[in-house]
Amino acid sequence: MTDDTRPFAPSQLRAQLQTRLAAFPRQAATDAGTPAAVVLGVTELGYGADVAGLPRYADWQRAPALLLTRRAATLRRHAGQWALPGGRLDPGETLAEAALRELREEVGLALDAGALLGQLDDFVTASGFVMTPFVAWLGAARDLQPAPAEVASIHRIPLTELQRKDAPRLSPISDSEHPVLRMPIGADSIAAPTAALLYQFEQVLLAGVPTRVAHYAQPHFARR
């Protein structure tokens, strides 16, 4: 079977991501905060989701995936939460350099700048970070290694999981006029800010629908 008959065939998917990113009028945040870069990394091989309620894909070569991590339980902030590889900038570092460094440090994947396909909207977190999301093509990404001090586990979430009919889930919160956004993953769910970036990725790059997400509220546990 050729790539052309696969759901999200890798060669076609990469071209689609680049085309839609180039056409998307990205919005940078005007809010003050600590600059940070995160990576929405697409892998060609979707094995290893390892999430309750989401079975391992037997035909893993047919399921390109997005790379997510669970943060280490020993971290002072956001311990155990779902996350994208990323973090604040080092002195003198650009956002793109930070994105590539965090991929290397957190999941053991060394890539050059050609892997970065473009950016989605900045998202300002309630904990004081201005997150700039880079979409990256990770290739097969076969030998990933979680950084023990930061990452408890690495998960490849099939892109089709982002397109579930029950996504996104919106729920009111008492101190915001906007709802909290969550994305269901298996039997679990991921809350904003990570979920907001996942939803924009799905809408803009998979569905082809220009969608803004910076207004969504974050649950109280994400603010600490």
Side-chain angles (χ1 to χ4, degrees):
M1 185 173 293
T2 65
D3 276 356
D4 291 341
T5 61
R6 296 178 184 179
F8 296 121
S11 60
Q12 295 178 348
L13 177 60
R14 180 170 183 164
Q16 174 180 306
L17 296 177
Q18 288 182 303
T19 298
R20 290 181 175 174
L21 282 164
F24 181 64
R26 186 185 103 82
Q27 291 186 349
T30 58
D31 306 57
T34 302
V38 297
V39 180
L40 290 151
V42 180
T43 74
E44 296 175 12
L45 307 182
Y47 64 91
D50 297 327
V51 176
L54 186 63
R56 298 178 70 94
Y57 278 59
D59 193 4
W60 47 264
Q61 288 184 316
R62 291 174 53 83
L66 197 69
L67 205 69
L68 287 174
T69 69
R70 295 299 291 258
R71 289 170 59 83
T74 54
L75 289 172
R76 184 172 60 87
R77 302 180 72 176
H78 310 301
Q81 292 180 21
W82 285 103
L84 296 162
R88 69 180 72 195
L89 277 62
D90 283 348
E93 195 173 43
T94 68
L95 285 163
E97 289 168 344
L100 293 171
R101 175 182 53 77
E102 291 288 349
L103 268 178
R104 185 177 66 255
E105 291 179 354
E106 291 193 9
V107 301
L109 188 58
L111 299 172
D112 60 31
L116 302 179
L117 305 182
Q119 298 166 251
L120 293 173
D121 289 346
D122 287 349
F123 192 96
V124 181
T125 74
S127 54
F129 290 92
V130 178
M131 295 169 55
T132 297
F134 285 84
V135 178
W137 189 260
L138 308 185
R142 294 180 185 277
D143 300 313
L144 301 179
Q145 296 293 330
E150 298 182 70
V151 178
S153 54
I154 301 171
H155 306 266
R156 301 171 188 247
I157 306 301
L159 297 185
T160 50
E161 188 68 5
L162 303 181
Q163 299 178 304
R164 286 170 46 163
K165 292 182 179 180
D166 59 343
R169 297 173 180 172
L170 303 178
S171 56
I173 192 167
S174 60
D175 56 358
S176 175
E177 62 180 305
H178 299 294
V180 172
L181 182 146
R182 290 180 171 84
M183 290 290 282
I185 300 293
D188 201 354
S189 67
I190 301 174
T194 297
L197 304 185
L198 297 180
Y199 180 55
Q200 188 174 55
F201 175 95
E202 186 279 324
Q203 285 286 282
V204 174
L205 302 183
L206 302 184
V209 179
T211 301
R212 304 297 179 187
V213 297
H215 59 285
Y216 284 112
Q218 298 152 64
H220 293 120
F221 69 77
R223 307 180 192 186
R224 297 190 292 271

